[in-house]
Amino acid sequence: LRGDSATSTLVFAMGGGTSPTLDVNITVAVSAGGAAALPRTRTHSLRLPNTPPPTRVLFNGAPLGKSRFGGPASWHYDGDDVAVVVTLPPSRTTDPARVVATFEPHPPAGLDGLKGL
């Protein structure tokens, strides 16, 4: 690669949901830089620590399915780490990716006392 590289910027924002829900918005920007030898597609795995399970997860406006153990184009809940793990499907480095996870405004009572809740 001889010093060539590419970077992707992630932008995180909370809000945008309609009451009584809370949306977490994550945008993976188009890759900057690059070289002919670098891949044209990418996959990302996002971990949202100290969160309850979401009510839904969207990727570029389409729902991602829940998976018991995770996998491509899905999300799962890691109860040991109290975290939502989102694995995005492969996408072109020239396309931005947007993830929206929707949560209830108050965590379920069964999660009281777990890692920061």
Side-chain angles (χ1 to χ4, degrees):
L1 295 177
R2 298 183 189 143
D4 292 330
S5 65
T7 58
S8 295
T9 302
L10 277 76
V11 178
F12 171 85
M14 292 180 67
T18 57
S19 184
T21 62
L22 171 67
D23 286 351
V24 172
N25 299 279
I26 300 170
T27 303
V28 181
V30 172
S31 293
L38 294 174
R40 300 285 180 232
T41 61
R42 62 184 172 191
T43 54
H44 287 85
S45 181
L46 307 172
R47 181 172 285 271
L48 307 176
N50 298 326
T51 56
T55 55
R56 72 177 180 172
V57 177
L58 302 175
F59 170 69
N60 290 340
L64 281 180
K66 181 180 178 186
S67 172
R68 183 171 180 186
F69 300 108
S74 70
W75 70 271
H76 73 278
Y77 192 71
D78 183 341
D80 290 337
D81 282 341
V82 190
V84 176
V85 180
V86 181
T87 305
L88 302 181
S91 60
R92 295 185 311 203
T93 57
T94 56
D95 295 337
R98 182 164 184 241
V99 175
V100 178
T102 302
F103 297 91
E104 294 298 324
H106 304 288
L111 296 178
D112 285 350
L114 295 176
K115 286 193 178 185
L117 295 178

